[in-house]
Amino acid sequence: MNWVIIAALFFVIINKLLQYTSRYQEAWINKFSISSDISSLSKEYSKLSAERLKIKEENQSISAQDNYARWTKNNRKLTKLEGELEKLRSNLKIAKDSQSKLFNRLKLLTLTLPFMILKLWKGKFIVYDIPTKDTFPVIVNGVLSQGLLYIPLLPINFLRGIDPNKHILVPGVSLGIWLMALTKTIDTVEFIVKQLVFQPVVSKQVKEKTKEKVVELKTTEAELD
Amino acid sequence: MSSELSETEKRKLIRERRQKKFSNGGASARLNRITGQAENSQLDTESPLDSKSSRETTPTVTKVDSNTEEMDELLENIATSPSNKVEKSQKKKEQATSPQETIDPELEIFKQLAENQQNDVSTPDLFSMLRSMKDNMAKSAATDTNPPLEPVDQQLLDYNNYLINNLKVWSIIFKWCFFLIPYLFALTRSEPISFLPEQFSNPSNFFMIFLSFEIVATSIYFQKLQNIEKSNKINGFQSNNKIVNLVSLIPEGVLPVPDIKGKVIMALQYWDVFSMFLTDICFVLVMMGLFKLI
């Protein structure tokens, strides 16, 4: 197997894995956070929120009239804590945002861009040969080996008097088309699995159409006497 | 007019009867009982009827009377149509200005204010404007060539979508497992399989056989799809498609094409069927490569 196919398969698999695990990614990123900011901030946040909960519970257990001094003291502490928590929350959000931005940039640099370069560079690389020349019609053969750009170029080539299939000695499937077919097939398999395994059975519920009656409110004359 | 007069007369009669009934006290106690007040309540529950009886010696029109008169006017205002209102209020004004009547000056001011409000038609209120707009919209919708669809039950829609997806899944599975995989396997073998007719293992015939199979399979699929939608009386595209919703926003007559929504729905249906064909071609390409590798 050629390295081009292996690299393309690797990119496809990694992309699919990332797609399937998108639900857990945030937790992972937070766990292996590069900056120590987030972990310290979140630790402090949880500590403060626990304290706030404790004070709130205490305040609910005592009577505001009987233990007025303690109650007001707690209340003042609560407002102060709330302000701190709000501040921490915004800081945490900023840190998380910057981290996810970093992660996205990393993904773009290591996965998306190289994959795109590979597709552009080796787009016409023949992955495998088609059994015979007449397995598919001529136009389909051209698309399979030259890519989708073959169709818009077809009339131009005809006008210039160039045989569009002159480069095709043995028809084959190019990398670009093959990757497209592969992604489509994977998506379809995904759809089948989702529908048969994860989709709960929907049963028909016969519902009688409830006729909405327009209730007219008649203003009766107010009898005050 | 006569009925209204009789109304006021009736009310007057009842009022007089009530006043006679409570002339010897007991009104406050009754009010207390009605409002459920405790005996030693701080709130004032003295009935105006009692206070009247205590102050009966005063010869002028009492406050109670003026109050009830006010109420009468209000009731009359409600009962009469707005067209008569101005007339009436003018009449009232005349009455008020007549020297025989003794009426609160405060009441006079309020009345004038109310009159001013009634006569002020230069600024139409927002509600009436909105109502007229709504009416116009309803009218234009009614005159539309295709009447608006009644809202579809969400549960029925879910059920419909579930059935369609199931049909799609099973038709794909059937096509892939029972036709494409065996056929492609036979096609890619270097030595022809003995029990199959020669046409099937010849790659030159592939596209023709594939296309015929696709046409048959797709027409069966389309037939079943139509059956489902007919039995549920739902057009899946009509009720839950973003493009259709977007297109239906275009008012009729802006574009030169009539019934653009129906055409878009039809195009989407054909695209749905065509995409099934594309999916099968993609599967063929992937499987062909895989079988060549084996």
Side-chain angles (χ1 to χ4, degrees):
Chain A
M1 219 191 255
N2 198 289
W3 69 270
V4 178
I5 303 170
I6 293 170
L9 274 176
F10 169 77
F11 282 128
V12 168
I13 289 166
I14 293 286
N15 270 332
K16 276 284 156 196
L17 277 180
L18 279 180
Q19 190 193 319
Y20 296 147
T21 57
S22 61
R23 211 186 304 168
Y24 316 102
Q25 271 166 26
E26 205 184 336
W28 292 347
I29 295 166
N30 287 342
K31 219 169 203 177
F32 307 107
S33 56
I34 306 148
S35 58
S36 56
D37 274 22
I38 291 178
S39 53
S40 65
L41 275 175
S42 57
K43 244 179 225 168
E44 206 177 334
Y45 184 81
S46 54
K47 198 180 124 198
L48 282 185
S49 61
E51 200 178 329
R52 180 171 153 265
L53 195 72
K54 210 174 120 196
I55 293 172
K56 229 177 183 179
E57 271 173 0
E58 196 190 334
N59 248 9
Q60 265 167 6
S61 67
I62 61 172
S63 157
Q65 279 177 345
D66 297 343
N67 302 325
Y68 183 71
R70 206 163 127 215
W71 192 80
T72 31
K73 199 182 155 197
N74 275 350
N75 244 7
R76 231 172 281 139
K77 226 189 243 172
L78 266 181
T79 34
K80 202 181 147 201
L81 268 179
E82 237 134 61
E84 274 176 38
L85 277 174
E86 188 60 42
K87 217 167 146 191
L88 266 180
R89 215 176 292 148
S90 62
N91 281 347
L92 205 63
K93 196 172 175 286
I94 290 165
K96 269 186 184 169
D97 279 355
S98 69
Q99 186 152 310
S100 67
K101 211 184 256 175
L102 192 80
F103 177 76
N104 281 340
R105 210 169 287 164
L106 203 75
K107 198 175 139 192
L108 183 78
L109 277 178
T110 55
L111 279 174
T112 317
L113 270 182
F115 194 27
M116 221 161 80
I117 289 167
L118 182 79
K119 274 198 265 188
L120 287 175
W121 180 33
K122 292 281 178 189
K124 285 186 183 174
F125 175 83
I126 299 295
V127 179
Y128 67 87
D129 295 336
I130 289 164
T132 55
K133 230 175 180 176
D134 53 358
T135 307
F136 289 103
V138 182
I139 292 177
V140 180
N141 265 344
V143 173
L144 290 183
S145 52
Q146 304 276 307
L148 285 177
L149 214 61
Y150 176 86
I151 294 172
L153 285 179
L154 201 61
I156 301 167
N157 279 336
F158 264 117
L159 282 180
R160 285 165 66 197
I162 304 166
D163 178 16
N165 284 8
K166 76 172 178 194
H167 303 294
I168 306 166
L169 299 171
V170 184
V173 178
S174 61
L175 185 78
I177 296 289
W178 181 70
L179 277 175
M180 238 180 257
L182 189 66
T183 357
K184 181 87 186 161
T185 309
I186 291 173
D187 284 347
T188 311
V189 171
E190 238 172 66
F191 168 67
I192 291 173
V193 171
K194 211 166 148 189
Q195 180 67 20
L196 291 185
V197 181
F198 297 111
Q199 169 81 25
V201 179
V202 180
S203 57
K204 189 176 185 179
Q205 288 191 341
V206 185
K207 251 188 159 184
E208 277 184 35
K209 274 192 179 177
T210 48
K211 280 187 181 175
E212 281 180 27
K213 276 189 177 176
V214 183
V215 182
E216 280 182 23
L217 277 172
K218 282 185 181 171
T219 46
T220 51
E221 258 187 56
E223 289 286 337
L224 284 158
D225 286 290
Chain B
M1 231 20 182
S2 64
S3 68
E4 276 165 25
L5 266 172
S6 69
E7 270 291 310
T8 34
E9 272 172 6
K10 207 169 85 186
R11 220 169 278 135
K12 207 173 165 189
L13 266 171
I14 294 167
R15 201 184 303 134
E16 273 169 9
R17 210 186 302 157
R18 198 176 51 223
Q19 272 166 6
K20 210 190 281 173
K21 193 178 166 191
F22 290 110
S23 57
N24 45 3
S28 291
R30 184 169 171 271
L31 196 60
N32 257 335
R33 238 181 299 131
I34 291 166
T35 52
Q37 289 285 348
E39 287 294 316
N40 51 358
S41 172
Q42 303 275 326
L43 292 165
D44 178 43
T45 49
E46 197 190 12
S47 169
L49 288 168
D50 273 1
S51 63
K52 191 210 162 199
S53 66
S54 61
R55 261 183 265 145
E56 205 139 52
T57 46
T58 49
T60 50
V61 179
T62 55
K63 208 178 177 187
V64 182
D65 270 350
S66 72
N67 270 343
T68 44
E69 261 169 34
E70 215 180 310
M71 193 56 83
D72 279 345
E73 273 161 24
L74 264 171
L75 284 172
E76 248 174 75
N77 265 341
I78 291 164
T80 50
S81 58
S83 57
N84 309 351
K85 239 177 209 171
V86 182
E87 217 177 284
K88 267 237 168 106
S89 60
Q90 273 171 353
K91 205 177 121 198
K92 287 270 164 60
K93 213 173 168 184
E94 278 165 28
Q95 275 179 358
T97 44
S98 60
Q100 294 102 328
E101 294 276 341
T102 50
I103 286 173
D104 253 2
E106 270 181 76
L107 198 67
E108 187 69 12
I109 291 165
F110 279 131
K111 265 187 188 169
Q112 270 184 354
L113 271 174
E115 247 167 60
N116 283 343
Q117 255 180 358
Q118 272 174 17
N119 293 339
D120 192 6
V121 279
S122 59
T123 53
D125 63 329
L126 192 66
F127 288 108
S128 66
M129 271 169 78
L130 279 175
R131 209 178 304 132
S132 68
M133 252 172 85
K134 212 175 153 191
D135 286 348
N136 279 340
M137 274 169 82
K139 259 183 223 160
S140 65
T143 52
D144 225 348
T145 45
N146 40 351
L149 280 161
E150 55 183 88
V152 190
D153 185 13
Q154 188 58 41
Q155 271 180 337
L156 196 62
L157 199 67
D158 286 345
Y159 177 65
N160 185 58
N161 286 345
Y162 174 75
L163 281 187
I164 289 172
N165 281 343
N166 249 2
L167 174 70
K168 218 181 253 181
V169 162
W170 285 112
S171 65
I172 290 170
I173 290 174
F174 177 79
K175 274 194 285 187
W176 286 9
C177 294
F178 293 104
F179 180 74
L180 287 177
I181 292 176
Y183 179 47
L184 286 169
F185 185 76
L187 205 71
T188 44
R189 294 305 92 193
S190 46
E191 66 273 8
I193 296 166
S194 55
F195 60 84
L196 275 175
E198 208 253 321
Q199 282 92 342
F200 272 98
S201 44
N202 186 2
S204 308
N205 292 333
F206 166 77
F207 204 70
M208 205 210 23
I209 292 172
F210 173 70
L211 213 61
S212 327
F213 171 74
E214 277 297 318
I215 287 167
V216 172
T218 306
S219 25
I220 292 170
Y221 166 77
F222 199 65
Q223 205 71 41
K224 294 235 169 198
L225 187 78
Q226 295 278 329
N227 276 345
I228 288 176
E229 294 199 335
K230 213 176 273 174
S231 67
N232 286 339
K233 295 186 187 72
I234 283 180
N235 190 331
F237 286 112
Q238 212 144 20
S239 13
N240 59 351
N241 192 291
K242 273 180 199 159
I243 298 169
V244 174
N245 286 341
L246 211 69
V247 166
S248 62
L249 285 178
I250 301 170
E252 195 68 31
V254 169
L255 293 170
V257 196
D259 189 20
I260 194 147
K261 195 183 164 191
K263 279 182 180 123
V264 167
I265 288 168
M266 207 163 76
L268 281 170
Q269 265 169 344
Y270 284 126
W271 171 252
D272 191 44
V273 170
F274 185 65
S275 77
M276 295 268 291
F277 173 69
L278 279 184
T279 310
D280 286 348
I281 284 198
C282 288
F283 182 69
V284 163
L285 289 179
V286 171
M287 285 326 273
M288 222 181 234
L290 214 63
F291 285 138
K292 282 212 92 176
L293 205 76
I294 296 168

